[in-house]
Amino acid sequence: KQGLLHSDQIFLYLHKVRVELSQLAFTYVTLLSFLADQEVNYSDPEFLDGFVNYGFNAMLSRSLGPEREVPDTRDKRCHYKHYSHRLPTASIIICFYNEEFNALLRTVFSVVYLTPPHLLEEIVLVDDMSTFDDLKEKLNYFLERFRGKVKLVRNKKREGLIRAKMIGASHASGEVLVFLDSHCEVNRVWLEPLLDAIARDSRTVVTPLIDVIDDLSLAYSPSPLVRGAFDWNLQFRWDNVFSYEMDSPEGPTNPIRSPAMAGGIFAIHRPYFYELGQYDKDMDIWGAENLELSLRIWMCGGQLFVIPCSRVGHITKRHLQTDIPLRNAMVRNYLRVVHVWLDEYKEQFFLRSPGLKSMTYGNISERVQLRKQLGCKSFQWYMETVFPELEASMNS
Ligand code: UDP
Ligand code: MN
């Protein structure tokens, strides 16, 4: 094990890669504290370069290449589950912005190899105007082998994740839309349980159980059974599932009712995605869209489940550079959720972030109108029915 990287070395390195001055201090401190107890050769410039540009160990990702096998993390009881013979077809939508080339390809390869061909309508890749060179011609070349199965859409300007997903959906023709991040690896029999739940009820939206791919070692490991939750700052967190829900013999294979989804990995019946109003197209770059969609699903007549027999690995990136445009977009996105969906409970949010009360969030009348038109229930109803723990935590 090597000692902590000499601070001058890191500083010089970061200077070399021209991280903006305003971000330098932040990145430097984050990287340093993170690397303090890691057993890697972090004096290697390629390693550091990878971490700064991609938010994970891109150097190792390159050496893994575009395909590998991951451990089957499902509960044994999942092996004996039977799914309908007439499942709907799926379009897999993967948006990416400056993704590491091999991580992106592993996402595509794992889907191609582990999805029954008759269920895979297509994979739609949406390049959100990436600037990295290897995602241009070289990517076209690599995808040649999947001609007919993989569509690549290139945005003419950076739209941000939210609009990029809507663009992906508009190119899809499968009965179900499945959204994945561009640094995932799907597991065995990952799609069937998702499609089966939607086939039973088209207003059911489902997410796989997200396994963890370590950002440093890229090791794939199982996650415990969890549901998605959030606090009064609207910060997402995982929440343990009550043991009584697991008590039956089938327990660990049963869908888990989930107040919220973690991010952008989920499956939804395509007509239902449109009926429900897609996404808020005035949200920019990244953030809060997962919460907005979760509230809309529950409050407007749908339901949201985690399906534990469906496993998808995801690299949790270390976002080292939170730039100012991103921060501004996040604040604006969260405020749009607060003002459209939280009713009188928005005061709970502002109690914790009083500074945000006077901030602008654009015009929300279209989304307010949508809520009316869909006949959605109140936030009070959502708390009482779906997420009583949130109400209980009001005074903490
Ligand atoms: N993404 C995008 N445009 C953007 C920002 C992100 O297409 O402006 C993509 C990104 O490449 C990834 C997905 O959206 O595939 C989700 O982003 P990320 O993984 O950063 O989110 P997280 O997993 O941290 O929630
Ligand atoms: Mn991600």
Side-chain angles (χ1 to χ4, degrees), residues 119-172:
L119 296 178
L120 183 62
E121 180 71 34
E122 74 224 322
I123 299 175
V124 181
L125 291 177
V126 182
D127 174 11
D128 196 12
M129 184 87 181
S130 299
T131 55
F132 294 162
D133 274 344
D134 56 356
L135 296 170
K136 294 172 183 165
E137 245 79 278
K138 186 177 158 197
L139 181 61
N140 293 343
Y141 171 77
F142 261 78
L143 294 176
E144 268 296 304
R145 74 190 74 186
F146 300 124
R147 208 167 6 165
K149 269 291 179 203
V150 178
K151 283 184 192 168
L152 175 56
V153 181
R154 307 264 193 189
N155 288 348
K156 292 200 177 62
K157 62 177 173 57
R158 171 124 182 242
E159 296 288 352
L161 154 74
I162 296 119
R163 286 191 295 279
K165 286 188 163 182
M166 293 166 69
I167 291 167
S170 76
H171 286 86

Side-chain angles (χ1 to χ4, degrees), residues 95-97 99 128 158 160-161 181-183 285-286 314 319:
C95 303
F96 64 95
Y97 174 72
E99 186 57 81
D128 196 12
R158 171 124 182 242
L161 154 74
D181 279 9
S182 46
H183 35 266
I285 310 183
W286 186 94
H314 168 255
H319 295 281

